[in-house]
Structures are given as C-alpha cells and as structure tokens.
Amino acid sequence: MTKLSVNINKIATIRNARGGNIPNVTQVAIDCEKFGAQGITIHPRPDERHITTQDVYDLHKVVTTEYNIEGYPNERFMKLIEETRPTQATLVPDGPDVLTSNAGWDTIKHKEFLTDTCRQLNEWGVRSSIFIDTDLNNMKGAKEVGTDRIEFYTGPYADHFDENKENAVKEYTEAAQLANELGIGINAGHDLNLDNLKFFKDAVPNLAEVSIGHALIADALYFGLEKTIEKYLELLK
Ligand SMILES: CC(=O)[C@@H](O)[C@H](O)COP(=O)(O)O
Ligand SMILES: NCC(=O)COP(=O)(O)O
C-alpha cells in the first residue's frame, strides 16, 4: 500500500507569518498522525522560510510514524540528519534561492557526491531517497550511487494532467518499471492533489510513498485537516 507522508512546511509558513507559535507545528504533526498520516515530511530550507532548524529537533521528539527530511545535502543538512536520524532523508538538488523544488538530480554528473552521501546515510541507519525525474539513464545512475529509493518529481505530471493525463503519466509508469527491475524503492511528490493523485498511484507499480503538502494544506482550509487526510488516504487504497 502507498503510504501518505504529510509535508507540513506550509503550517510553518503560516506560523512564521506572525512570529509566534500559532499554528503549533509539532502539535499539527501529532494530529496528522492521529488522523492517519503514515509519515511526516519537512524541508528545512537554509533561509528557514518555513521549517526552522529548531522545528527539525522538536519534530524528532514527537513524530512516531516515518520522519522524512528533505533538502540539499550540505553541511547543515547532514548535521541535522546525523543528530536526528530520521527514517528517511530525501536529497533534493535545490539551490538556496528557488521558490520551490523544480528539478531532480543529475545522478551521472553528481555520481561521486551522491554515492558518498548515500553511503553516509546508510552508515547512520537512515533510508536514502533521491529526488529525480523520469529520465531512464538518470534512473540507472541512481542505482549506481546506491540509493535505497528514488522520489519522482511529479511537478511535470501535475502541470500536464489536465491537458492529457495518459500522456502525463506515461513516463512515470515506464520509469517505475525500470526502478522495479533495478530494485530501487519508489516515492513520489510535488504538486500531487485530490484530482491527480489516484490516477498517478494506479499507473505507478509498487509506489511506496507519496509526500504531499501544498495542496493538502490548502484543501484543509475547506475540509479541515482530519477530513482532508481521510480524503487523501481513501485515494491511496
Ligand atoms: C521536494 C519537493 O518537491 C517538496 O518538498 C518541495 O520541496 C516543497 O518545498 P516548499 O514547501 O518549500 O515548496
Ligand atoms: N516531496 C514532495 C513534498 O514533500 C511536498 O510537495 P508539495 O505537495 O508541497 O508540492
């Protein structure tokens, strides 16, 4: 079954807007798990625009499902991973100034760096995942670096879903078939939502986890957090 990991970056965005502790990020994580989330994802960006360094440690104390920390594996990120030992670290090639994640890794160009990073994560007992697009050579490169999982960057799928969903998902189905042959676990995330999630899940064999944040938190403004998580879980059955 595909697990739902709720990305709570946007809860921290709202909190930071006023500088206090409302909404309480750790309480929201606890409640997301109570409502059925099978993981909590955060992306502690260097500018702390939403998730702060302190959030990473605070959440480490309360998350009881899977704790997934995403980010560019610089010294700060790797220190956070070493000190909190989350379930999973998802390596993202984001520069410090991007508005949001907008590309996957070039696993061939960055083979040595990613190999060393995945080895270090393995030594710490942290599952590695590499944010990636569906290029098949890149997929083979991901196998070479020794990652446990890949995370498909589903932004392009979401962008083209409305115009032609069959075409939009085709490359992901093909890439997933290769990942399965290579023995790499499959995660997915970015711009997944209540409209496009089920079609994607049904088209991608052995999808282990989806991490969803922006749309889910926006949906919660209308349906409430508990009902919204229930809606997403229903689509993953
Ligand atoms: C890797 C990914 O696609 C998401 O985690 C994205 O990085 C969300 O980051 P923001 O919440 O800062 O847009
Ligand atoms: N890895 C994707 C993620 O954690 C959330 O992405 P989004 O749903 O906020 O686009």
Side-chain angles (χ1 to χ4, degrees):
M1 178 180 166
T2 303
K3 290 187 175 181
L4 171 67
S5 186
V6 174
N7 182 312
I8 57 173
N9 291 350
K10 299 306 170 334
I11 300 296
T13 298
I14 298 169
R15 177 204 55 198
N16 294 358
R18 186 57 64 89
N21 199 28
I22 298 175
N24 182 309
V25 167
T26 51
Q27 187 57 52
V28 170
I30 292 166
D31 291 338
C32 285
E33 293 184 324
K34 187 169 66 178
F35 300 150
Q38 294 125 336
I40 298 296
T41 291
I42 58 171
H43 191 147
R45 294 185 180 275
D47 62 8
E48 297 188 302
R49 68 185 73 167
H50 39 55
I51 293 291
T52 65
T53 299
Q54 188 56 50
D55 286 330
V56 178
Y57 295 99
D58 293 346
L59 287 161
H60 165 60
K61 294 173 190 162
V62 302
V63 173
T64 59
T65 56
E66 293 210 349
Y67 192 22
N68 175 37
I69 303 178
E70 300 183 327
Y72 182 85
N74 59 16
E75 191 175 336
R76 168 186 177 259
F77 180 85
M78 293 302 280
K79 181 173 183 282
L80 291 172
I81 300 302
E82 183 179 21
E83 294 187 347
T84 61
R85 304 295 172 102
T87 313
Q88 178 175 266
T90 299
L91 309 181
V92 186
D94 289 5
D97 301 326
V98 294
L99 174 65
T100 187
S101 305
N102 56 18
W105 284 98
D106 179 333
T107 59
I108 294 154
K109 182 178 175 184
H110 300 290
K111 179 177 181 179
E112 186 177 347
F113 177 60
L114 292 171
T115 300
D116 293 345
T117 305
C118 288
R119 184 182 299 118
Q120 180 61 81
L121 294 173
N122 182 268
E123 287 172 7
W124 288 335
V126 176
R127 182 200 302 148
S128 54
S129 179
I130 294 178
F131 197 60
I132 195 169
D133 60 24
T134 55
D135 177 89
L136 299 185
N137 286 325
N138 232 2
M139 295 282 301
K140 292 170 187 170
K143 178 68 177 179
E144 290 291 306
V145 307
T147 188
D148 296 313
R149 293 192 184 177
I150 48 103
E151 176 176 337
F152 284 136
Y153 168 44
T154 49
Y157 163 73
D159 289 344
H160 296 101
F161 177 79
D162 288 339
E163 70 191 66
N164 188 324
K165 63 185 179 186
E166 290 77 12
N167 279 352
V169 86
K170 186 168 178 290
E171 64 189 74
Y172 294 87
T173 304
E174 291 168 355
Q177 288 164 345
L178 177 57
N180 288 325
E181 289 166 20
L182 295 172
I184 308 174
I186 304 170
N187 295 344
H190 204 89
D191 285 338
L192 293 173
N193 60 39
L194 288 174
D195 295 328
N196 63 31
L197 177 59
K198 180 166 176 31
F199 189 76
F200 184 87
K201 191 267 293 180
D202 291 344
V204 173
N206 296 317
L207 177 62
E209 172 194 290
V210 289
S211 44
I212 306 176
H214 196 86
L216 188 150
I217 302 303
D219 291 331
L221 298 176
Y222 288 91
F223 303 118
L225 191 54
E226 183 171 10
K227 187 70 182 168
T228 298
I229 290 174
E230 285 174 5
K231 285 176 176 284
Y232 278 88
L233 289 171
E234 188 62 31
L235 296 174
L236 294 173
K237 281 183 178 170

